[in-house]
């Protein structure tokens, strides 16, 4: 099966930076897309940023200009660089990937990592 292992969350002051990483492991043919969602307390999970294996990126309006995303295809790892963090960025961040275990792409999720932006 496919596993997504996240790292890099933590506590940071407003204006600071954090880097989240997520590595996919297991037996699969290819990765079509990897990305990050966030879920704040009492709210629905929402997409923050994603990147396709071809390098096409998407960013939520709330993070444009502050976050960047990169994909290391050789290591099956996606990185989210978060700069100029704000208290409203506080949430659990979940890694997401669409992975081809069969000829079809299926969705997989990481366990989540807490990001807290507070002084």
């Amino acid at each position: 099966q496919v596993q997504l292992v996240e790292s890099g969350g933590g506590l940071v002051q407003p204006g600071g930076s954090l880097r989240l990483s997520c590595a996919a492991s297991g037996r699969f043919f290819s990765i079509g897309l990897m990305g990050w969602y966030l879920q704040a307390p009492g709210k629905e999970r929402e997409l923050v940023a994603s990147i396709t294996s071809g390098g096409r990126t998407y960013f939520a309006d709330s993070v444009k200009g502050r976050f960047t995303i990169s994909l290391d295809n050789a290591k099956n790892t996606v990185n989210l660089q978060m700069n100029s963090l704000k208290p409203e960025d506080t949430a659990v961040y979940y890694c997401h990937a669409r992975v081809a275990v069969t000829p079809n792409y299926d969705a997989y999720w990481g366990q989540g990592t807490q990001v807290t932006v507070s002084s």
Side-chain angles (χ1 to χ4, degrees):
Q1 272 292 2
V2 177
Q3 288 187 321
L4 301 180
V5 179
E6 302 150 338
S7 61
L11 172 65
V12 64
Q13 292 186 342
S17 298
L18 280 177
R19 182 180 176 89
L20 304 183
S21 294
C22 173
S25 63
R27 300 187 65 176
F28 51 86
F29 295 106
S30 65
I31 295 176
L33 171 150
M34 295 189 78
W36 293 90
Y37 284 69
L38 67 80
Q39 188 166 23
K43 295 187 177 181
E44 294 186 354
R45 196 172 295 188
E46 58 185 78
L47 178 61
V48 177
S50 65
I51 183 168
T52 68
S53 58
R56 185 174 299 176
T57 59
Y58 165 87
F59 294 95
D61 288 343
S62 60
V63 306
K64 284 180 179 177
R66 300 189 297 123
F67 291 11
T68 59
I69 191 168
S70 61
L71 178 63
D72 185 332
N73 286 305
K75 296 182 179 179
N76 298 319
T77 298
V78 63
N79 300 301
L80 184 70
Q81 179 65 42
M82 305 186 294
N83 299 325
S84 303
L85 282 161
K86 304 175 181 180
E88 50 264 44
D89 294 320
T90 295
V92 177
Y93 284 70
Y94 294 91
C95 179
H96 171 262
R98 294 194 63 81
V99 179
V101 177
T102 67
N104 298 317
Y105 283 95
D106 295 316
Y108 293 87
W109 294 91
Q111 78 282 3
T113 184
Q114 178 70 45
V115 170
T116 302
V117 184
S118 175
S119 55

